[in-house]
Amino acid sequence: MNLTRRVALAAAIALPLSLPMAQAQAQTTITVQHPLPLASHYGAGVTAFKEALERATGGRYRVNIQRNDNEREAIESVQIGTIECSLTSTGPVGNFVPEVRNFDVPFLFRDTAHARGVLDGEIGQQMLARFTARGLVGVVWMENGFRHLTNSRREVNAPADIRGLKVRTMENQVHMRAFTQLGALPTPMAFSELVPALQQGTVDGQENPIAVILANNLNQVQRFLTLTGHVYSPAILICNPGLVGRMNAADRAAFNEAARAGAAANRAKNSADEAAGVEELRRRGMTVVTQVDSAAFQTALAPGAAQIEQQLDSALLRRIREWRAN
Ligand code: EAX
């Protein structure tokens, strides 16, 4: 047998042995960025997502968790494909998918059960579908939580106490309009700039859920906390369409199941932080105003809210307000 035939025979024999190895090595790495410490409610969500997906696919998918506290930048990276996924609050998302701003309206969600029910139901799923046209995949709603006001200047007991405070807001037109209505000076910036701005006194205050205040030790740069609960802040896992488009049906099912496991872990951690966090922040030295006249804040916001809602989807807002668990 001549040399050519011997080489071809050897190659033919080797190929089947190498194939399973090649398949076994065919691995996809998903980089997911989120803005908080791993010990936070976001960290709980991405960690549960990672563990569930790697287990379900026998390691064919590996999740690489990275921290990036500039959420807008992370979403841009997902859009251009330099990373696969981002877990972000909806704060900057309205700049990519404008319809999401409907979820950022102050006092829209009555409580956590209302918010989770809307987001996990038809309304939330229809909103996820709107990401496709913007070059993104809205995978699953997670949770940032009800936002509360902190500041370094004074106790805030009533809306009038906010007047004149320089308040950092997310890069979110709805939130900025609301704080302007309250007489504050809203200063939009990425989360990555927040602590230096508070330390240097560029801003007097900020607003975030208890879980975020806890995880970032904002008590070290903020003295007063008022439980305004003025906005429910959804979070969302956003991924690149190319990643999801390359998945076969079984992998896509495992991916979605892992995303739901992440949402469950994120929400459980947030509920735990909300239950124990106020006492912990008091223990760390914050002065906490717990009895807040929510109706007074809603009345103070009303003129601005009417203006905000004219630019949003009033039918959708009505559906959300009328939503009841069946
Ligand atoms: O998503 O920017 C913010 O205040 C967000 O609440 C925070 O990054 C968590």
Side-chain angles (χ1 to χ4, degrees):
M1 184 186 301
N2 68 25
L3 176 62
T4 308
R5 285 180 57 79
R6 276 206 303 273
V7 167
L9 182 62
I13 290 169
L15 185 60
L17 297 177
S18 62
L19 197 56
M21 183 62 74
Q23 278 175 334
Q25 298 312 320
Q27 200 171 69
T28 303
T29 297
I30 296 176
T31 294
V32 55
Q33 290 187 345
H34 73 103
L36 300 178
L38 205 53
S40 69
H41 58 329
Y42 281 23
V46 292
T47 302
F49 167 66
K50 167 185 172 68
E51 290 170 354
L53 184 61
E54 292 179 352
R55 187 171 52 247
T57 62
R60 280 186 299 106
Y61 282 81
R62 286 270 181 242
V63 177
N64 167 29
I65 297 170
Q66 289 179 350
R67 183 171 179 185
N68 178 355
D69 46 12
N70 186 318
E71 293 180 318
R72 178 179 29 78
E73 183 187 275
I75 299 167
E76 288 163 352
S77 299
V78 172
Q79 218 167 26
I80 61 179
T82 47
I83 61 169
E84 285 70 34
C85 299
S86 163
L87 173 56
T88 174
S89 74
T90 53
V93 175
N95 301 303
F96 300 84
V97 185
E99 296 86 350
V100 170
R101 290 186 183 130
N102 286 285
F103 287 172
D104 293 326
V105 171
F107 297 107
L108 175 66
F109 293 103
R110 298 185 292 274
D111 52 34
T112 301
H114 177 211
R116 292 176 182 177
V118 166
L119 294 172
D120 293 348
E122 186 184 45
I123 293 173
Q125 300 317 299
Q126 287 170 345
M127 188 63 77
L128 290 179
R130 291 185 177 278
F131 282 70
T132 310
R134 308 286 178 168
L136 294 165
V137 176
V139 178
V140 70
W141 293 106
M142 293 202 192
E143 182 165 273
N144 196 12
F146 277 96
R147 304 180 76 90
H148 305 291
L149 177 71
T150 67
N151 85 92
S152 56
R153 295 267 297 275
R154 54 179 175 261
E155 265 195 36
V156 170
N157 291 285
D161 300 333
I162 291 182
R163 205 162 290 139
L165 286 179
K166 289 177 287 187
V167 178
R168 176 268 177 177
T169 68
M170 296 192 285
E171 295 159 299
N172 180 300
Q173 287 84 343
V174 175
H175 294 182
M176 290 162 63
R177 183 70 195 79
F179 277 95
T180 301
Q181 180 62 41
L182 291 173
L185 303 169
T187 312
M189 63 181 78
F191 190 72
S192 48
E193 302 164 50
L194 172 60
V195 173
L198 291 170
Q199 284 168 330
Q200 292 150 24
T202 315
V203 292
D204 303 312
Q206 64 89 46
E207 40 87 57
N208 247 297
I210 296 297
V212 176
I213 299 168
L214 275 175
N216 294 279
N217 292 307
L218 295 186
N219 48 282
Q220 291 175 352
V221 286
Q222 294 280 263
R223 186 170 156 212
F224 302 101
L225 165 62
T226 301
L227 301 184
T228 49
H230 53 278
V231 163
Y232 173 85
S233 183
I236 180 170
L237 180 66
I238 297 172
C239 293
N240 177 275
L243 166 76
V244 176
R246 287 190 294 274
M247 289 180 185
N248 61 35
D251 286 350
R252 181 67 191 270
F255 176 79
N256 288 337
E257 191 56 38
R260 283 191 289 271
N266 152 263
R267 286 171 171 176
K269 176 68 167 104
N270 192 40
S271 296
D273 283 350
E274 286 188 342
V278 171
E279 235 5 82
E280 171 58 17
L281 290 169
R282 266 207 189 92
R283 194 188 62 76
R284 294 183 193 178
M286 289 195 91
T287 300
V288 185
V289 173
T290 55
Q291 302 306 316
V292 176
D293 181 350
S294 180
F297 279 88
Q298 294 183 61
T299 303
L301 277 171
Q307 213 173 39
I308 289 168
E309 297 195 16
Q310 279 168 4
Q311 296 155 17
L312 297 173
D313 180 340
S314 52
L316 173 59
L317 294 172
R318 186 168 50 252
R319 281 177 68 201
I320 292 171
R321 289 185 171 115
E322 291 173 356
W323 183 93
R324 295 295 181 279
N326 46 29

